[in-house]
Amino acid sequence: MITTPSILLIEDDIDDQEIFTSALAFIDSGIVCSIAANGYEAIMHLNEAVALPDLIFLDLNMPMMNGVQFLREVKAGHKAKDIPVIVFSTASDMKIVQEAKLLGADQFITKPEKFSELVGMLHGLLFPATK
């Protein structure tokens, strides 16, 4: 039986938040997705969480605490250090991509332009056995 994952999306752009959560709802309305607008909010959310998410999707370019800073803090010993992190960004600078991977990001995915591509990508990541 495939369980429904819980997700933390760390994204400052409201439009991107809405598209991401709409894609998740299209895949499975039971998926729980919490949202933090930057790395600092995400750390606070994780600190207060009774149950940690199964997966973190992380944008890199955000105010207050960006994605690289978030990775550095979480992967250095936070209680959420073992949660897989998928960098989900429009950034394509190879130096940033490599830095994110060195800091512990499990994958780096460029945000798709089409809703259908986002749905397909998310479905493949969340339910790989059913592709």
Side-chain angles (χ1 to χ4, degrees):
M1 182 171 139
I2 297 172
T3 60
T4 304
S6 63
I7 294 170
L8 173 59
L9 172 64
I10 308 171
E11 169 66 65
D12 64 319
D13 185 282
I14 292 172
D15 291 336
D16 285 350
Q17 292 172 3
E18 289 177 4
I19 291 167
F20 189 91
T21 55
S22 293
L24 291 176
F26 185 84
I27 294 166
D28 182 340
S29 62
I31 296 172
V32 175
C33 182
S34 300
I35 298 174
N38 58 59
Y40 177 78
E41 276 187 25
I43 295 287
M44 295 300 103
H45 173 82
L46 293 167
N47 286 345
E48 297 168 4
V50 174
L52 293 173
D54 297 308
L55 196 57
I56 296 172
F57 283 84
L58 175 67
D59 187 22
L60 291 178
N61 303 316
M62 297 176 290
M64 243 172 143
M65 177 187 278
N66 67 33
V68 169
Q69 293 165 322
F70 171 83
L71 275 171
R72 192 173 286 123
E73 184 161 334
V74 166
K75 296 298 182 176
H78 191 274
K79 71 178 184 177
K81 70 181 178 0
D82 296 324
I83 298 172
V85 175
I86 298 173
V87 173
F88 186 66
S89 181
T90 55
S92 58
D93 181 336
M94 287 311 293
K95 183 179 177 186
I96 293 171
V97 171
Q98 289 190 324
E99 183 177 13
K101 287 184 177 179
L102 285 172
L103 289 170
D106 293 86
Q107 290 187 44
F108 188 98
I109 297 172
T110 302
K111 292 178 182 176
E113 292 182 23
K114 295 181 181 175
F115 183 77
S116 60
E117 292 171 354
L118 177 60
V119 168
M121 183 270 306
L122 287 173
H123 189 275
L125 287 167
L126 300 175
F127 303 106
T130 61
K131 280 203 270 189

